[in-house]
Amino acid sequence: MSAADLEKPVPEAADAPVRELSQTFRPVSAGMEAHLNVYHPVLDHGFIAVKDYMGDDLSILQMARMSYGKGTKGLNDDRALLRYLMRHFHTSPFEGCVIKLHVKLPIFVMRQWVRHRTASLNEYSARYSIMPDEFYMPDASQLAVQSKDNKQGRGDTLTPDDSAEVLRILKEEALRNFATYHHLLNADEDGQTIDEGRDGIARELARIGLPLSTYTQMYWQTNLHNLMHFLRLRADPHAQFEIRIFAEKILDIMADWVPVTTEAFRDYQLEASRLSRMDLALVKDMLAGKATLADAGSYGLSKREARELAERLGISA
Amino acid sequence: MSAADLEKPVPEAADAPVRELSQTFRPVSAGMEAHLNVYHPVLDHGFIAVKDYMGDDLSILQMARMSYGKGTKGLNDDRALLRYLMRHFHTSPFEGCVIKLHVKLPIFVMRQWVRHRTASLNEYSARYSIMPDEFYMPDASQLAVQSKDNKQGRGDTLTPDDSAEVLRILKEEALRNFATYHHLLNADEDGQTIDEGRDGIARELARIGLPLSTYTQMYWQTNLHNLMHFLRLRADPHAQFEIRIFAEKILDIMADWVPVTTEAFRDYQLEASRLSRMDLALVKDMLAGKATLADAGSYGLSKREARELAERLGISA
Amino acid sequence: MSAADLEKPVPEAADAPVRELSQTFRPVSAGMEAHLNVYHPVLDHGFIAVKDYMGDDLSILQMARMSYGKGTKGLNDDRALLRYLMRHFHTSPFEGCVIKLHVKLPIFVMRQWVRHRTASLNEYSARYSIMPDEFYMPDASQLAVQSKDNKQGRGDTLTPDDSAEVLRILKEEALRNFATYHHLLNADEDGQTIDEGRDGIARELARIGLPLSTYTQMYWQTNLHNLMHFLRLRADPHAQFEIRIFAEKILDIMADWVPVTTEAFRDYQLEASRLSRMDLALVKDMLAGKATLADAGSYGLSKREARELAERLGISA
Amino acid sequence: MSAADLEKPVPEAADAPVRELSQTFRPVSAGMEAHLNVYHPVLDHGFIAVKDYMGDDLSILQMARMSYGKGTKGLNDDRALLRYLMRHFHTSPFEGCVIKLHVKLPIFVMRQWVRHRTASLNEYSARYSIMPDEFYMPDASQLAVQSKDNKQGRGDTLTPDDSAEVLRILKEEALRNFATYHHLLNADEDGQTIDEGRDGIARELARIGLPLSTYTQMYWQTNLHNLMHFLRLRADPHAQFEIRIFAEKILDIMADWVPVTTEAFRDYQLEASRLSRMDLALVKDMLAGKATLADAGSYGLSKREARELAERLGISA
C-alpha cells in the first residue's frame, strides 16, 4: 500500500481492486492473496473485502508443534494434526491466524455484529462525517411474515403484491428520512451548504432520525478462533438472513485461506451435533434395541428435545 | 428478589423501587444499597438503575493487601493505600468490584456504549418482541449547530424558533416511522393484530425502518476498572451530550458506592493531565525561567498542542 | 467486612471463618452464603474460599426475560427457561453472575489456571514479600508412571516402595531449595535477618531457585459463563489431577450457589457429547439398520474416532 | 514456510534464520521483514524472534481515515495524523497491527508476562515433553541486595566475591534439581530410558521440583495497542530487570516495524508524565509566581508526591 492509495475514495464493490505486489518472508496463503482488496458485493449496497491477514494452515501447525515439543511422534501428518486440534478444542493455535475485513453493512446488522467482543473494529463516524444516502431494501424473496414456531424468525414469504407494497413503503420512508437529514444538516451528501440563509444542526444530532437500514462501514479484525465462533452463530440457519449472508461469504473466503482448517471446522463443529446426557442415554438404548424414540419422555427429554433429536437422527418422530 | 418480581412489567423511572431486604455475609456498601432498584430518569424517556453490585472500598484494599503479603508496612492507612493504587495504575484490585445496571437509552447512544468491549450486556431483542413507541427528542437547550473547531461536536445553540422547527420535524418523522412500523407488523404495541384481513411482516424486518432515536434497553455489567475507563471517555466534555449525561449519572452513583476510590479517581485520572515529552521539557524550562510559551515551537509542540498546554496551565497563549 | 479484618493474617483452611452479617437489597443465594469466608482445604496445603459473589439462578432469568420482552409467552416456567438458555448457548445472562475466590495452590497449578484469560486475578507477590515455606507433596495414591496412551497423563500407580522413595527425594530437594532461598535472602520466613554480618540478595532474585511445587495465593474472579468454560476443561478427566481437584471443589460450590443452572450445565454440557458430521452419519445408519460400527472407516472416522464413539455409545468396538 | 521447516528442531538464537521469500498483496514493513525468523539472544539462554506480523504505519492511517470519512480535511499529513491518534488515545487503529513472537524465557519471567491477558499464547508443554536442561543464571552485574526504598526492587550490587558465591549456590542447586528430574523420569533429555530396571514417574509430576529459573518457550501474539500497554509496564524502570530486557528488545523491533508510531509512542506515552489535579494546580501557581514546591503540602500533595514531582520537573526539592 502506498500513501497515494490512502487519498483515494473508499473503494466500492464494483471497483477493480487496488493491488500492489511486494515481497515478504511471512507465511503466505495463495488462496487468500487472491481475495486481497477484492470487494465482494453483499446485499444491495454492502460489501466485504479482505484488507490484510496473517497465517495459514501450516502456521497453525507450527504453533501446535512448538507446544508439544518432542512429544509429538505420530502427529507428523499435517492434516491429521489439524483435525486433532479442531476435534479436541485446542484453540490457541488457531488464534495465531488473523483476518482484517472492510465491511459495508446496514446498521441493524452492525448492531448484531458488534456483540462479538473479541475483535477489533473501527466504524465510520456519523459525528465526523455525513452519512451517505444508502439504505438497505430487502429483496422481495426475503420478505416474509413472522414465524409461528420461531419467536425470532421469518415464516412464509409474502405474495408479490404484498411484497411490492411493503418495499414501496419502506423506500418512501427511508428517502424521506434522508431528505430530512440533509435539511436538518443544511448540507448535501458532499457537505455543500444547501441554504446559505440558515444554520444546520450538528451532524451528531441530525443523524438520530436516520433509519436502522442505513448503511455504515467498518474495519473488522479477529483471529481465526473467534472467527469460527462468529461463524457458528451467524452462518447458522437461526441467524437473521441479513447477517447470515455476510457470514456465508466469510466462510467462503475462509475456505480459500485455510482449506484444511475449514474442512475440519465443518466436520467437527459446523455440521457436528451435541447430544445431551439424556439424548445420549436414549440413543445408547435405541442402538441396543432397548428403547425407541417414543420413550424419550422417560429419559427426561422434553417434547421439543425429542422432536429435535428425531430430526438430527433422520427418524420420523 | 422473588420469582413474582420477574413477572412484573419492566419498571419505569417513575415507579417505586422493588426492594426486598435480605441478610448477607458479603461486603456491603451502604451508599450503594440506597441505589438498588431505584430508577433514575435520564434524558426524556431513559433511565439508569443499579440491579446488583459486588465489593466496596475495603474489598479493593483486601485484594491489594493479599498481594503484598507482609511487605506492606507503611500501607496501614486505608485511604493512602487506595490512592497509591490509583496513582500507580495498580488496576487488578479495582477489577474486584462489579456493577450491574439496567439502562434505557436511545439506539444511537447504545451504539457508542457497546464499543466498550470488556463488559457483559444483554439487550432487548427487536427480533423477539415489538419495540415500544418511544424515541428521543432533544431538549431545545441541546440543539446546536455543527462546531467549527471540533469535527465531532456542537457549537452555538439554535434560536428558539429554529429549535422549535427542528423538534417539530424530528418528532413528525419519528411518529410516522413508528406508525409505519406498526402497519408493517400489522400489530399494535401490545402485539394485537390491527387488520385481520392481511399479514404483517416479521419483527426482525419491520424494525429496519425505525429511527436511531428509538429507545432500547439493556442490562450492562462491568468491573470498576473498566467502568473508570468508560467514565474517562464518556464523562469527558468531548463525548456526545446524550451519552455524557448517562456517564455523569453513573459517576454520581460510583461516588456513593466507593467514595474513597471516586475521590482518588478524580484526583489522579479524571482531573489529571498528561504532559508529553515536549510539554514537560518546555514546562521545566519555563519554571527555570529559560523559556516562555512563545518558544513552544522550538520544543516540538504543534500550534494546537501549545494552545492546549496554555489552557491547561491557565496561561493566555 | 470491617477494617480490622484486613489487618488479620491471611486465614488458613483450619481457621473459623470471619463472617459478619449485613443487610442487603441484592439478590442472595442462601446456598452460597453458607460458603462465604469458609476455607475449604484442597491438596496438602491449599485451599479455596468464596470471598464474594453476585447473582443467583433467578437473576439469570431476570436478565434473559428483559431481553425477550413480551415475546416470552411459554417461558414462564423458570427451570424450563434456564435449561433452554443452557441448551442453546445463550450465554450472556450467565455472565451476570460473578464469583470471587481466594485460592492457595502450587505454582505449577497456577500456571495452568492463568491460561483462562477472561478473569480478574491478583497474586501474592514474591517481589514484595517472602514466600512462605510451603510446597506440594503428592499423596502416594497420585504417584504414577507416564501413561502409554495419553501423552499428557498418568498411567499405573507406583508400588508403595517406589512411592516412598519418590516422595523422599522430592521432599529433600524442596527443603534444600527453601533453605537456600533463606540463605540467599539472609532472612527467615518472618523477614528477620539471619546473619547481621552479610547482605542478602533481593527477593525477586532469591526466589528464582524455588521449585514449581511452591504454594502461592491469589484472588480469582470470573463470571459464571467463563467459570463453566473453566470447569469444562479443568473438571475433565484429561486435566492434571492437581488442578482437577480444585475444579471439582468449585463445581460443588457452584451447585450450592446456582442449583438449577448446575443441573442444566451437567445435562447439556459436562455430560453431553458432541458427534462429528461423520459420527452422526454413522449413527443414523446404525439406527436404520444400514451399518454397524465396523463400517466406521467408510464414513470417514479414524480408528481412534471409531474407538471413542464406541465408548460413548456403550458398544464394544 | 514449507512443511519441511516444521520438522526441523526448534531454532536457536545462534542458528541462521529460516527465511523463504514469497509475494504478497498485503501491506509490508521493510524494517520488520529484516527481523522475520531472526533469533535475537536475550539473557543467557533466551531469545526473541518475530515469526509473523500484520500491518504498518500506513495501515494504521488507513483504518483511521475510513472512520473519519470525508471529515478529515487537514489530516492529510500522515505523520501528523498518527501523532494525533496517539495523543488522543484513539486506540482502535493501532489494534489493526499484530505481532507474533517466539520467545524463550525463564518461568519466573513467563509468570509476569502472562498477566497481560489480551494476547494469544501457546507454551511448551511439560506434560507432553521433557523440559530441556536450561536454567537462568543472572550475570554478576545484576546481583543486588534488596532495595530499601523500593519494596519490589534491587539496591546496591553485590561485591564480586559475594556474587560468585551466590551464583555458585544457584547453579549447584539448579543442576541438582535437573538431575533429580531425570532420575524421577528415569529418562534423559532425549527421552531415552536411563535404567531399564525401574519405572519413571509421569512428566507432569516429575517437573514439580524444577526451579522457577527453568527456561520455557512460547509463541506470543498481540496487537500493537496491547503491545504498547505491555511496553509501558515492562520497559519501565520499575519492572524486574529480567522482563525489562525482553521488553527493550521488543521496543527496538517495534521501532523498525512502525517507526512513526514508535516515535509518537515515546513522545506521548513512554516519556510523557501525568500530573494529578493537585500537581497541576501547584505547577500553575508556580508558573504564575504564586507558589513554590515548598507549598506542595497545602495543595494536597503527599511528601512522596512532592518529591516525585520535583524530579520530573528537574527541581531540587
Side-chain angles (χ1 to χ4, degrees):
Chain A
M1 180 177 58
S2 71
D5 296 341
L6 297 173
E7 283 153 36
K8 292 177 187 164
V10 172
E12 289 297 320
D15 290 352
V18 175
R19 288 156 63 92
E20 192 176 311
L21 210 50
S22 308
Q23 289 194 306
T24 186
F25 287 110
R26 290 175 288 175
V28 166
S29 160
M32 195 64 154
E33 288 289 333
H35 283 288
L36 273 167
N37 282 316
V38 176
Y39 279 74
H40 302 284
V42 184
L43 297 178
D44 52 350
H45 298 293
F47 60 65
I48 282 189
V50 180
K51 299 305 286 184
D52 209 343
Y53 75 93
M54 194 171 107
D56 62 358
D57 278 331
L58 284 173
S59 64
I60 296 166
L61 293 170
Q62 192 184 42
M63 271 183 92
R65 287 199 167 108
M66 185 283 298
S67 172
Y68 298 142
K70 294 173 185 165
T72 43
K73 285 166 206 155
L75 291 174
N76 290 328
D77 178 344
D78 287 351
R79 184 169 172 276
L81 177 51
L82 250 178
R83 291 174 75 77
Y84 173 90
L85 297 173
M86 185 69 73
R87 189 165 168 249
H88 291 85
F89 270 103
H90 289 204
T91 57
S92 310
F94 297 104
E95 296 181 18
C97 293
V98 180
I99 187 171
K100 177 154 82 172
L101 298 170
H102 185 184
V103 187
K104 185 168 154 194
L105 70 178
I107 287 175
F108 70 92
V109 175
M110 178 75 183
R111 276 171 38 75
Q112 298 178 347
W113 203 306
V114 295
R115 294 304 314 280
H116 296 265
R117 291 163 291 182
T118 315
S120 296
L121 79 81
N122 224 34
E123 188 183 352
Y124 185 89
S125 168
R127 298 181 72 199
Y128 273 94
S129 296
I130 295 175
M131 297 295 281
D133 285 20
E134 287 178 318
F135 50 87
Y136 168 63
M137 280 295 99
D139 188 80
S141 66
Q142 291 305 324
L143 285 178
V145 302
Q146 179 67 35
S147 166
K148 304 292 181 206
D149 308 329
N150 179 352
K151 293 260 171 232
Q152 58 172 339
R154 300 179 196 177
D156 296 333
T157 304
L158 296 194
T159 64
D161 279 4
D162 285 357
S163 278
E165 173 64 4
V166 164
L167 290 176
R168 191 192 59 71
I169 293 172
L170 278 173
K171 187 168 183 182
E172 183 184 293
E173 200 89 337
L175 286 173
R176 197 159 45 202
N177 286 339
F178 271 96
T180 301
Y181 177 57
H182 289 293
H183 177 75
L184 292 176
L185 285 173
N186 194 26
D188 66 15
E189 232 186 332
D190 294 322
Q192 300 304 311
T193 302
I194 296 172
D195 174 357
E196 295 288 350
R198 65 180 181 85
D199 284 327
I201 64 171
R203 287 184 288 272
E204 66 177 21
L205 275 172
R207 52 90 179 251
I208 73 172
L210 290 178
L212 292 171
S213 57
T214 304
Y215 271 94
T216 183
Q217 293 186 28
M218 65 167 166
Y219 271 54
W220 186 69
Q221 174 178 314
T222 196
N223 66 42
L224 184 52
H225 167 60
N226 286 292
L227 186 72
M228 291 189 288
H229 184 68
F230 175 86
L231 293 175
R232 275 198 305 276
L233 294 182
R234 304 304 182 178
D236 184 274
H238 290 91
Q240 183 163 353
F241 166 78
E242 285 80 10
I243 192 165
R244 198 169 70 236
I245 197 166
F246 281 93
E248 286 168 357
K249 185 43 132 183
I250 294 174
L251 186 53
D252 288 347
I253 291 170
M254 179 181 159
D256 291 332
W257 175 24
V258 282
V260 184
T261 299
T262 306
E263 186 200 16
F265 174 56
R266 287 188 180 284
D267 287 347
Y268 295 110
Q269 297 200 19
L270 262 197
E271 300 171 25
S273 187
R274 204 165 37 131
L275 300 193
S276 71
R277 178 181 63 74
M278 297 78 71
D279 291 339
L280 194 64
L282 174 58
V283 169
K284 268 183 184 175
D285 282 358
M286 286 169 69
L287 285 169
K290 297 185 200 158
T292 72
L293 205 59
D295 304 311
S298 62
Y299 285 77
L301 282 78
S302 69
K303 278 184 186 149
R304 180 173 182 162
E305 287 171 6
R307 199 169 59 235
E308 289 180 12
L309 182 62
E311 273 168 36
R312 287 186 286 167
L313 298 176
I315 297 172
S316 44
Chain B
M1 183 177 56
S2 71
D5 296 341
L6 297 174
E7 283 152 36
K8 292 178 187 164
V10 172
E12 290 297 319
D15 289 354
V18 174
R19 290 157 62 92
E20 192 176 310
L21 209 51
S22 307
Q23 288 194 305
T24 188
F25 288 110
R26 291 175 286 176
V28 166
S29 160
M32 195 62 153
E33 289 289 332
H35 283 289
L36 272 167
N37 283 315
V38 176
Y39 280 74
H40 301 284
V42 183
L43 298 178
D44 52 350
H45 298 292
F47 59 66
I48 282 188
V50 180
K51 299 304 287 184
D52 210 343
Y53 75 92
M54 195 170 104
D56 63 356
D57 279 330
L58 283 173
S59 64
I60 296 166
L61 293 170
Q62 191 184 42
M63 272 184 90
R65 288 197 167 111
M66 185 283 299
S67 172
Y68 299 141
K70 293 174 185 164
T72 41
K73 286 167 205 155
L75 291 174
N76 290 327
D77 177 344
D78 289 349
R79 184 169 173 275
L81 176 52
L82 251 178
R83 292 175 73 80
Y84 173 90
L85 296 173
M86 185 71 72
R87 189 164 169 251
H88 290 86
F89 270 103
H90 289 205
T91 57
S92 308
F94 296 104
E95 296 181 18
C97 293
V98 180
I99 187 171
K100 177 153 84 173
L101 298 170
H102 185 185
V103 187
K104 186 168 154 194
L105 70 179
I107 286 176
F108 70 92
V109 175
M110 179 75 183
R111 276 171 39 71
Q112 298 179 345
W113 204 304
V114 295
R115 295 303 314 282
H116 297 265
R117 292 164 291 183
T118 315
S120 297
L121 79 82
N122 224 34
E123 188 182 351
Y124 185 89
S125 168
R127 297 183 72 200
Y128 274 93
S129 296
I130 295 175
M131 297 295 283
D133 286 20
E134 288 178 317
F135 51 86
Y136 169 62
M137 280 296 99
D139 189 80
S141 66
Q142 292 304 323
L143 285 178
V145 302
Q146 179 66 36
S147 165
K148 303 294 179 205
D149 308 330
N150 178 354
K151 292 260 171 231
Q152 59 171 337
R154 300 179 195 176
D156 295 334
T157 304
L158 297 194
T159 64
D161 279 4
D162 286 356
S163 278
E165 173 64 3
V166 164
L167 290 176
R168 191 193 58 72
I169 292 172
L170 278 172
K171 187 167 185 183
E172 183 185 294
E173 200 90 340
L175 286 172
R176 198 159 44 201
N177 286 341
F178 270 96
T180 300
Y181 176 58
H182 289 294
H183 177 74
L184 293 175
L185 286 173
N186 193 26
D188 67 14
E189 232 186 333
D190 295 323
Q192 300 304 311
T193 303
I194 297 173
D195 175 355
E196 294 289 349
R198 65 179 181 87
D199 284 326
I201 64 171
R203 287 184 289 270
E204 66 178 19
L205 275 173
R207 53 90 180 252
I208 73 173
L210 290 179
L212 293 171
S213 57
T214 305
Y215 271 94
T216 184
Q217 292 186 28
M218 66 166 165
Y219 271 54
W220 186 69
Q221 175 179 313
T222 197
N223 65 44
L224 185 53
H225 167 59
N226 286 290
L227 186 73
M228 290 191 287
H229 184 68
F230 175 88
L231 294 175
R232 276 198 303 277
L233 294 182
R234 304 304 181 178
D236 184 274
H238 290 90
Q240 182 163 352
F241 166 77
E242 284 82 10
I243 193 165
R244 198 168 71 234
I245 197 166
F246 281 92
E248 285 168 357
K249 182 41 123 184
I250 295 174
L251 185 54
D252 288 347
I253 291 170
M254 179 181 159
D256 291 332
W257 176 22
V258 281
V260 184
T261 299
T262 306
E263 186 200 17
F265 174 56
R266 289 188 179 284
D267 287 346
Y268 295 110
Q269 298 200 18
L270 263 197
E271 299 172 26
S273 188
R274 205 164 36 130
L275 299 193
S276 70
R277 179 183 63 74
M278 297 77 72
D279 290 340
L280 196 65
L282 174 57
V283 169
K284 268 183 186 176
D285 282 358
M286 285 169 71
L287 284 168
K290 298 185 199 157
T292 72
L293 204 59
D295 303 311
S298 62
Y299 284 77
L301 282 77
S302 69
K303 277 183 188 150
R304 182 174 181 160
E305 288 171 6
R307 197 168 59 236
E308 289 180 12
L309 182 62
E311 273 169 36
R312 288 187 285 167
L313 298 177
I315 297 172
S316 42
Chain C
M1 182 176 58
S2 72
D5 296 341
L6 297 173
E7 283 152 36
K8 293 178 187 164
V10 172
E12 290 298 319
D15 289 354
V18 174
R19 289 157 64 92
E20 191 175 312
L21 209 51
S22 307
Q23 288 194 305
T24 186
F25 288 110
R26 290 175 288 174
V28 166
S29 160
M32 194 64 153
E33 290 290 333
H35 283 289
L36 273 167
N37 282 316
V38 176
Y39 280 74
H40 303 284
V42 184
L43 298 179
D44 52 349
H45 297 293
F47 59 65
I48 283 189
V50 179
K51 300 305 286 185
D52 209 344
Y53 75 92
M54 192 170 108
D56 62 358
D57 279 331
L58 284 172
S59 65
I60 296 166
L61 293 170
Q62 190 184 43
M63 270 184 92
R65 287 198 166 107
M66 185 282 297
S67 173
Y68 299 143
K70 293 172 185 164
T72 41
K73 285 166 205 155
L75 291 174
N76 289 328
D77 178 343
D78 287 350
R79 185 170 171 276
L81 177 51
L82 250 178
R83 292 174 74 79
Y84 173 89
L85 297 173
M86 185 70 74
R87 189 165 167 248
H88 290 86
F89 270 104
H90 289 205
T91 56
S92 309
F94 297 103
E95 296 180 18
C97 292
V98 180
I99 188 171
K100 178 155 81 172
L101 298 170
H102 185 186
V103 188
K104 185 168 153 194
L105 70 179
I107 287 176
F108 70 93
V109 175
M110 179 75 183
R111 277 174 34 76
Q112 299 178 346
W113 203 305
V114 294
R115 296 304 314 280
H116 297 265
R117 291 164 291 183
T118 315
S120 297
L121 79 82
N122 224 34
E123 189 183 350
Y124 185 88
S125 169
R127 297 182 71 199
Y128 273 94
S129 295
I130 296 176
M131 297 295 282
D133 285 19
E134 287 177 318
F135 50 88
Y136 169 62
M137 278 296 100
D139 189 81
S141 65
Q142 292 305 322
L143 284 178
V145 302
Q146 179 67 35
S147 166
K148 303 292 178 207
D149 309 329
N150 180 354
K151 293 258 172 236
Q152 58 172 338
R154 301 180 196 175
D156 294 334
T157 305
L158 296 195
T159 64
D161 279 4
D162 285 357
S163 278
E165 173 65 2
V166 164
L167 291 177
R168 192 193 58 73
I169 292 172
L170 278 173
K171 188 168 183 182
E172 183 185 293
E173 200 89 339
L175 286 172
R176 197 159 45 202
N177 286 341
F178 270 96
T180 301
Y181 177 57
H182 289 294
H183 177 75
L184 292 176
L185 285 174
N186 192 24
D188 66 14
E189 232 186 334
D190 293 323
Q192 300 304 311
T193 302
I194 296 172
D195 174 355
E196 295 288 351
R198 65 181 180 86
D199 283 327
I201 63 170
R203 287 184 289 271
E204 65 177 21
L205 276 172
R207 51 88 181 254
I208 75 173
L210 289 179
L212 293 171
S213 57
T214 304
Y215 272 94
T216 183
Q217 293 185 30
M218 65 166 166
Y219 272 54
W220 186 69
Q221 175 179 312
T222 196
N223 65 44
L224 184 53
H225 167 59
N226 286 291
L227 185 73
M228 290 189 288
H229 184 67
F230 175 87
L231 293 174
R232 275 197 306 276
L233 295 182
R234 304 303 181 179
D236 184 274
H238 291 90
Q240 182 163 353
F241 167 77
E242 284 81 10
I243 192 166
R244 198 169 69 235
I245 197 167
F246 281 93
E248 286 167 358
K249 185 40 125 185
I250 295 174
L251 186 53
D252 288 347
I253 291 170
M254 178 181 159
D256 291 332
W257 176 23
V258 281
V260 184
T261 298
T262 306
E263 185 200 17
F265 175 55
R266 288 188 180 282
D267 288 345
Y268 296 109
Q269 298 200 20
L270 262 197
E271 300 172 27
S273 188
R274 205 167 35 133
L275 300 192
S276 71
R277 179 183 63 73
M278 297 77 72
D279 290 340
L280 195 64
L282 174 57
V283 169
K284 267 183 186 176
D285 282 357
M286 286 169 70
L287 284 169
K290 297 184 199 158
T292 73
L293 204 58
D295 303 311
S298 63
Y299 284 77
L301 281 78
S302 69
K303 276 182 188 150
R304 181 173 182 163
E305 287 171 5
R307 198 169 58 237
E308 289 181 12
L309 182 62
E311 273 167 38
R312 286 186 286 167
L313 299 177
I315 297 172
S316 43
Chain D
M1 183 176 57
S2 72
D5 296 342
L6 297 174
E7 284 153 36
K8 293 179 187 163
V10 172
E12 290 297 319
D15 290 353
V18 174
R19 289 156 63 92
E20 192 176 310
L21 210 51
S22 309
Q23 289 194 305
T24 188
F25 288 110
R26 290 174 289 175
V28 166
S29 160
M32 194 63 153
E33 289 290 333
H35 283 289
L36 272 167
N37 282 315
V38 176
Y39 280 74
H40 301 285
V42 183
L43 298 179
D44 52 350
H45 297 292
F47 60 65
I48 281 187
V50 179
K51 300 304 286 183
D52 210 343
Y53 75 93
M54 193 171 107
D56 63 357
D57 278 332
L58 283 172
S59 64
I60 296 166
L61 293 170
Q62 191 185 42
M63 271 184 91
R65 288 198 166 107
M66 185 283 298
S67 172
Y68 299 142
K70 294 174 184 164
T72 41
K73 285 167 206 155
L75 292 174
N76 289 328
D77 177 345
D78 287 351
R79 183 170 173 276
L81 176 52
L82 251 179
R83 293 174 73 78
Y84 173 89
L85 296 174
M86 184 70 74
R87 188 165 169 250
H88 290 85
F89 270 103
H90 289 205
T91 57
S92 308
F94 297 104
E95 296 181 18
C97 292
V98 180
I99 187 169
K100 178 154 82 173
L101 298 170
H102 186 185
V103 187
K104 186 167 152 195
L105 69 179
I107 287 176
F108 70 92
V109 176
M110 178 75 183
R111 277 171 38 73
Q112 298 179 346
W113 203 305
V114 295
R115 296 304 313 282
H116 297 265
R117 291 164 292 182
T118 315
S120 297
L121 80 82
N122 224 33
E123 187 183 352
Y124 185 89
S125 168
R127 298 182 71 198
Y128 274 94
S129 297
I130 295 176
M131 297 295 283
D133 285 19
E134 288 178 318
F135 50 87
Y136 168 63
M137 279 296 100
D139 189 80
S141 65
Q142 292 305 323
L143 285 178
V145 302
Q146 179 67 37
S147 165
K148 305 291 179 206
D149 308 330
N150 179 355
K151 292 260 170 231
Q152 57 172 338
R154 301 181 196 175
D156 295 334
T157 305
L158 296 194
T159 65
D161 279 2
D162 286 355
S163 278
E165 173 66 1
V166 164
L167 291 176
R168 192 193 58 74
I169 293 173
L170 279 173
K171 187 169 184 182
E172 183 185 292
E173 200 88 341
L175 286 172
R176 197 159 44 201
N177 286 341
F178 270 97
T180 301
Y181 177 57
H182 289 295
H183 177 74
L184 292 176
L185 285 174
N186 193 26
D188 67 13
E189 230 187 335
D190 293 324
Q192 300 304 311
T193 301
I194 296 173
D195 175 354
E196 295 288 348
R198 65 178 180 86
D199 284 326
I201 63 170
R203 287 185 288 272
E204 66 178 20
L205 275 173
R207 53 89 180 253
I208 74 173
L210 290 178
L212 292 171
S213 57
T214 304
Y215 272 94
T216 183
Q217 293 185 29
M218 65 166 166
Y219 271 54
W220 186 69
Q221 174 179 313
T222 197
N223 65 44
L224 184 53
H225 167 59
N226 285 291
L227 185 73
M228 292 190 288
H229 184 66
F230 175 87
L231 294 174
R232 275 198 304 277
L233 295 182
R234 304 303 182 180
D236 184 274
H238 289 89
Q240 183 163 353
F241 167 78
E242 284 81 10
I243 194 165
R244 199 170 69 234
I245 197 167
F246 281 92
E248 285 167 358
K249 185 40 127 181
I250 295 173
L251 186 53
D252 288 347
I253 291 171
M254 178 181 159
D256 291 333
W257 176 24
V258 282
V260 184
T261 299
T262 307
E263 185 200 16
F265 175 55
R266 288 188 180 283
D267 288 346
Y268 295 110
Q269 297 200 20
L270 263 197
E271 300 171 27
S273 188
R274 206 164 36 129
L275 300 193
S276 70
R277 179 182 64 73
M278 296 76 73
D279 291 339
L280 194 65
L282 173 58
V283 168
K284 267 183 187 178
D285 282 357
M286 284 169 70
L287 284 168
K290 298 184 199 157
T292 72
L293 204 57
D295 302 312
S298 64
Y299 284 78
L301 281 77
S302 69
K303 276 182 189 152
R304 181 173 181 163
E305 287 171 5
R307 197 170 59 236
E308 289 180 13
L309 182 62
E311 273 168 37
R312 288 187 285 168
L313 297 177
I315 297 172
S316 43

